[in-house]
Amino acid sequence: MKTLEVTSLPEVFFSIINKNDSYDFVLNPLHRCIEITYVAQGTLDFWIDKKKRQAHEGDVMCIIRNREIVVHSDEPICLHSFVMRLDYTYQENNANGLYLPFVTRFNPQIKNLHNMIDDIIYNFHQYKQSSARQIAQIMNILCEIDACNHAKKLKQIPGEVLLTEKAKKYIQKHIYKPITQHAVAEHLKITPEYLCRIFKKIHGDSLMKYVNKTKLEGIKNLMANENIHLYEAALIYGYKDPNYVSSLHKKLFGYNITEKAPK
C-alpha cells in the first residue's frame, strides 16, 4: 500500500466547478501537483497506465498528477475540483504517510468531504491566495480521506485474517525452500486467486512480495552476521542465482543488497 507524506505547505492554484453534457479530457502530468475532485453528478471513466477505472456520483478522487490520465464521460457530469502544489514523498508501506487512493467511494462520512472541498473552492475565488486557514483546510481534507479509507480497511473478515496468518506461518516454516503461491494455497485448501486477494487486503503486500522481502532480509542478516558471500546466503534461502537476488533486492528496497539501508 503506497502512502503519501506531505513535506511542504500546500498552495491552491486552480479550482473549478465543471458542468458538461459529456466529458473527454487528458490530464497532463504536473510537477508537485495533487488534484482533489468529487463527482457531484454522473459517472466518470478514467485510464491510468492503460488501466480503466470509474468514479461514480458522490465519490472523491485524489489525483497524483505525476503521469498522464485520460478521463471520459458520455453522460452529463459535474465535478468540483481544486489543484494544489506541494512537496511530498510517495512510498510503499510508509506508516507515517497518508493513505490516499485514487477513488474513495461514497458513504455518509464522505458528505463532510464534499463540504470541505466546496469551502476550498469558495475561498480560492474569494481571496485568490492560500491563507493559513486554507492550508489547515487542505490538510484536514487529506487526513479525512486517509481516515475514511483506513476505516474501511479495519472492517476485515476474521476468517480472512486467520487464513493470512496461517499463510505467514507456512512461509516462515518453509522459508529456506522455494515457495510458490500455489503451494501455500494448496496447503490452506483455497484457490491461489483467493489467497492472493485476501493476503494483499489484510497484509498490504502481495503474498510473493512478502515471501521475497522476508527471504531477502534473512539473506542480508546472514551476510552481515555470519560473514558469508551473497551466493552462499542466497542458496540457503532457495535462490540459485545471486544476480537475480541482487536485482530483486534493488527492485523491492531501492538500494543494493551489499549496501547499508539509506537513512
Side-chain angles (χ1 to χ4, degrees), residues 88-136:
Y88 60 87
T89 59
Y90 198 44
Q91 299 174 351
E92 195 79 34
N93 292 326
N94 176 11
N96 296 319
L98 298 169
Y99 179 44
L100 308 173
F102 201 93
V103 176
T104 300
R105 298 300 177 191
F106 179 77
N107 62 62
Q109 190 178 356
I110 296 296
K111 189 63 181 175
N112 185 46
L113 266 173
H114 294 178
N115 295 333
M116 295 165 75
I117 293 168
D118 285 338
D119 202 16
I120 291 285
I121 295 170
Y122 173 79
N123 284 337
F124 177 76
H125 288 287
Q126 282 290 107
Y127 304 112
K128 297 295 183 183
Q129 61 183 358
S130 180
S131 64
R133 178 173 177 270
Q134 189 179 73
I135 291 169

Side-chain angles (χ1 to χ4, degrees), residues 196-208:
C196 179
R197 186 167 71 250
I198 65 169
F199 194 94
K200 189 163 187 178
K201 173 185 174 184
I202 303 301
H203 190 269
D205 277 338
S206 70
L207 182 133
M208 291 312 300

Side-chain angles (χ1 to χ4, degrees), residues 108-251:
Q109 190 178 356
I110 296 296
K111 189 63 181 175
N112 185 46
L113 266 173
H114 294 178
N115 295 333
M116 295 165 75
I117 293 168
D118 285 338
D119 202 16
I120 291 285
I121 295 170
Y122 173 79
N123 284 337
F124 177 76
H125 288 287
Q126 282 290 107
Y127 304 112
K128 297 295 183 183
Q129 61 183 358
S130 180
S131 64
R133 178 173 177 270
Q134 189 179 73
I135 291 169
Q137 287 176 316
I138 293 170
M139 296 308 299
N140 284 337
I141 287 172
L142 297 180
C143 290
E144 188 76 9
I145 294 172
D146 173 75
C148 287
N149 287 284
H150 273 298
K152 289 189 291 184
K153 284 179 70 63
L154 290 175
K155 295 177 181 177
Q156 297 174 341
I157 301 170
E160 294 179 343
V161 176
L162 181 60
L163 283 170
T164 300
E165 288 305 311
K166 285 184 176 180
K168 289 166 73 173
K169 285 182 180 178
Y170 176 92
I171 290 165
Q172 292 297 335
K173 184 178 179 180
H174 297 83
I175 198 65
Y176 299 112
K177 301 176 182 177
I179 298 173
T180 66
Q181 186 168 287
H182 186 273
V184 181
E186 191 175 60
H187 171 75
L188 298 175
K189 297 180 171 55
I190 59 177
T191 67
E193 293 77 18
Y194 179 60
L195 172 61
C196 179
R197 186 167 71 250
I198 65 169
F199 194 94
K200 189 163 187 178
K201 173 185 174 184
I202 303 301
H203 190 269
D205 277 338
S206 70
L207 182 133
M208 291 312 300
K209 193 170 187 178
Y210 173 81
V211 169
N212 285 323
K213 280 186 173 181
T214 304
K215 283 175 174 280
L216 289 169
E217 289 291 354
I219 290 170
K220 283 193 296 183
N221 288 334
L222 274 180
M223 292 169 64
N225 299 324
E226 303 297 331
N227 195 28
I228 62 176
H229 295 293
L230 171 58
Y231 74 89
E232 295 174 295
L235 275 175
I236 290 172
Y237 279 87
Y239 296 109
K240 295 181 180 179
D241 185 355
N243 292 325
Y244 170 75
V245 172
S246 182
S247 63
L248 183 62
H249 187 278
K250 183 69 180 277
K251 178 181 177 181

Side-chain angles (χ1 to χ4, degrees), residues 45-61:
D45 296 326
F46 52 91
W47 287 261
I48 308 172
D49 299 331
K50 298 182 180 180
K51 293 182 180 179
K52 182 181 178 181
R53 305 182 194 179
Q54 278 192 331
H56 304 280
E57 187 169 320
D59 292 349
V60 173
M61 295 185 290

